[in-house]
Amino acid sequence: MTSPTAPPFCGRARPEAWLSRHWPWAGKIYRLSTMGFPFIPVPRSDETMDQVRRAARRAMFAEKPGWQCLSLRVLMTLAWPLGAVTEVLYYLSVMRPDERPKSSLAWAGRGYDMLALAVFRNVPPREYHTYRLHQPDRRTWITDCLYAPEGYPLLSWLNRRNGADNNTVQDKAHFADLCRRHGLPCITTLAVFRDGSQLWPTTPFIPALPLLWAKDLTGSLGAGAARWRLDAEYYHNDDRQVTLSPKTLARQWLLRDCLIQPCLTNHPALAALSDGTLVDFRVVTGIHRDGRVEVVATLGHLPCGGPSRRRYITGAIDKDSQRLISPTLSGFQIIKHHPDTGAEITAQPIPFWRTALELVVNAHKKVPEFSRFVFLGWDVAITADGPLLIETNSGWGAFNHQRGAGVPLGWTCFPGIVAEYLDFSQQGDAACG
């Protein structure tokens, strides 16, 4: 029997993205329909990670008024079966050729397995597909992953219970100020603009450095980030489509809430692992109830392709060899050499890596505003002079870390730290209202 082609259920664009472009309200409803049930229908064990997932499901919308929380949870319950079917059909259609089943019966079996895990175990088809849970050696992942819809509600609930103020990490100017006050190495702040005013420095800021980096005061995933290069008395952005004088650029920054910093240069050992822009490393730390801080996960982001076609190579950093392991391009394509430089990605140890880990552990432990967050994801740059803190995030992307490291969070210290903050026999405060 010849191998069938991918089933023509749907196009390549994700249903949520297509709906959001045409009817934003429908995109929001569809997104809700892909979050799973607000409970785990068939709990499989009393293992700590299973209880962590149940707590995360109970925490969904817990911060909202009782009637709104209840309404959203009822809508999730009603919408998930249809959302699961739609997602299963989509991810069956976009499988890579080397992962497609070899027969029609195998297609049906894969779809059934994906749908059964979605309905009975709240395993999103997206993560079934990404983590390759159809492979026999990956089946043990099913009960040990923290799935994408569960991360934000769980972390938000833990931090609220622990008295954390999200503005501490959300506001990048506040973060930089805390780092300076506590003597933590961080990127220099040249100027801060908020609400149409310049907050720092006290004198009018006119840019003069040859390379500058501007980013929004709040947000994530590089929100509002832009690199400006000085050339012949004018600043140009990366694609040279905008050209401004220093004074005009400063006036433009007044119109948005943003932070201005010098552009950093990678450590020379990392130059071949980049397209010329900054390589950054994400380190997730967790703090125990007794104040001990542990590293939960690590992830390197290596830029490639240049400004117009920017993509990232990601991979975890091995704690012994201090090298990237299992690097992938855009999260899926296994890659050995950097596409721009040809450098072997796994051959280069990360310089100052242990120093970088010590830096984030000390920051989480010693700064009271940071230690109220149970988990934080730190972004770190490695320069010739050592590591520098870029920012930290209370939402740090369990999906990307599990995908990048090839290790479920249940195999790390994550569930043990969560368990210290939760009484699994008394979770009523995580429910609606």
Side-chain angles (χ1 to χ4, degrees):
M1 180 179 294
T2 59
S3 299
T5 59
F9 305 124
C10 46
R12 292 282 170 173
R14 285 201 72 217
E16 179 186 332
W18 187 88
L19 288 169
S20 297
R21 281 198 305 269
H22 294 83
W23 303 287
W25 59 269
K28 293 180 180 179
I29 293 175
Y30 183 82
R31 189 178 308 120
L32 190 69
S33 78
T34 63
M35 292 176 62
F37 294 123
F39 52 87
I40 296 180
V42 185
R44 295 292 297 274
S45 71
D46 289 326
E47 295 294 327
T48 302
M49 195 61 192
D50 206 60
Q51 297 187 60
V52 167
R53 289 194 61 210
R54 280 182 255 171
R57 292 280 160 182
R58 289 180 59 84
M60 288 179 169
F61 309 115
E63 77 284 359
K64 295 186 179 295
W67 67 270
Q68 191 175 358
C69 170
L70 182 60
S71 299
L72 289 168
R73 291 167 69 90
V74 169
L75 184 57
M76 282 177 64
T77 303
L78 297 175
W80 174 230
L82 179 60
V85 169
T86 305
E87 289 283 282
V88 167
L89 295 179
Y90 172 76
Y91 283 104
L92 284 175
S93 76
V94 298
M95 280 188 292
R96 298 200 311 263
D98 61 325
E99 293 190 346
R100 293 174 183 169
K102 303 302 182 183
S103 68
S104 297
L105 185 61
W107 275 108
R110 180 78 59 82
Y112 174 80
D113 187 47
M114 199 181 295
L115 183 61
L117 285 175
V119 172
F120 295 112
R121 292 290 299 147
N122 274 339
V123 176
R126 177 195 183 200
E127 287 167 88
Y128 180 105
H129 166 76
T130 302
Y131 301 151
R132 304 188 298 279
L133 297 182
H134 63 280
Q135 297 180 358
D137 62 338
R138 292 292 184 102
R139 300 300 285 185
T140 55
W141 281 48
I142 293 171
T143 56
D144 290 322
C145 281
L146 183 73
Y147 295 100
E150 300 162 348
Y152 175 78
L154 176 66
L155 297 175
S156 298
W157 177 41
L158 287 171
N159 292 332
R160 286 197 307 271
R161 286 164 57 99
N162 214 36
D165 177 7
N166 203 50
N167 186 60
T168 303
V169 297
Q170 184 74 5
D171 188 313
K172 295 174 176 59
H174 189 196
F175 169 80
D177 183 59
L178 281 173
C179 289
R180 284 193 298 272
R181 282 195 275 135
H182 289 272
L184 299 172
C186 65
I187 302 176
T188 303
T189 298
L190 299 176
V192 178
F193 298 90
R194 193 197 305 271
D195 298 329
S197 300
Q198 178 187 306
L199 301 185
W200 174 263
T202 54
T203 56
F205 176 71
I206 304 298
L209 292 181
L211 278 173
L212 293 172
W213 185 258
K215 62 182 179 181
D216 289 350
L217 281 182
T218 59
S220 59
L221 302 176
R227 183 169 61 170
W228 294 90
R229 183 185 302 271
L230 183 62
D231 182 19
E233 299 183 359
Y234 287 90
Y235 277 98
H236 309 271
N237 64 350
D238 267 339
D239 56 14
R240 299 186 72 87
Q241 292 185 357
V242 179
T243 300
L244 300 171
S245 69
K247 288 184 178 181
T248 303
L249 182 57
R251 286 197 296 268
Q252 186 184 81
W253 287 332
L254 273 171
L255 302 178
R256 49 184 283 223
D257 296 348
C258 62
L259 182 76
I260 313 302
Q261 299 172 323
C263 268
L264 298 182
T265 301
N266 289 311
H267 188 285
L270 300 177
L273 301 182
S274 167
D275 61 1
T277 51
L278 190 66
V279 174
D280 73 273
F281 299 91
R282 168 67 60 86
V283 182
V284 178
T285 56
I287 187 166
H288 292 266
R289 293 294 295 267
D290 62 7
R292 289 179 297 115
V293 174
E294 283 193 73
V295 173
V296 177
T298 60
L299 196 67
H301 298 90
L302 314 181
C304 62
S308 61
R309 301 181 61 187
R310 176 69 37 76
R311 293 187 294 172
Y312 287 91
I313 301 164
T314 57
I317 294 88
D318 181 74
K319 64 179 181 179
D320 296 320
S321 69
Q322 302 174 47
R323 291 175 166 86
L324 264 75
I325 55 175
S326 305
T328 58
L329 179 61
S330 302
F332 295 98
Q333 178 185 342
I334 297 172
I335 189 169
K336 294 183 178 180
H337 297 88
H338 195 283
D340 298 326
T341 67
E344 186 178 352
I345 296 169
T346 58
Q348 175 59 54
I350 307 304
F352 294 115
W353 185 241
R354 288 196 173 90
T355 305
L357 297 183
E358 291 171 2
L359 171 60
V360 297
V361 166
N362 287 334
H364 201 168
K365 181 188 303 183
K366 294 182 178 180
V367 180
E369 290 87 347
F370 296 153
S371 62
R372 295 190 182 99
F373 290 87
V374 181
F375 298 96
L376 282 171
W378 305 85
D379 290 342
V380 182
I382 308 291
T383 71
D385 297 321
L388 293 175
L389 294 176
I390 301 173
E391 60 185 58
T392 192
N393 301 273
S394 57
W396 36 265
F399 174 78
N400 289 326
H401 283 279
Q402 291 173 141
R403 178 178 66 177
V407 174
L409 283 176
W411 298 0
T412 71
C413 59
F414 177 81
I417 294 175
V418 174
E420 294 179 16
Y421 290 85
L422 301 180
D423 180 354
F424 289 125
S425 65
Q426 297 178 356
Q427 295 179 30
D429 58 345
C432 293

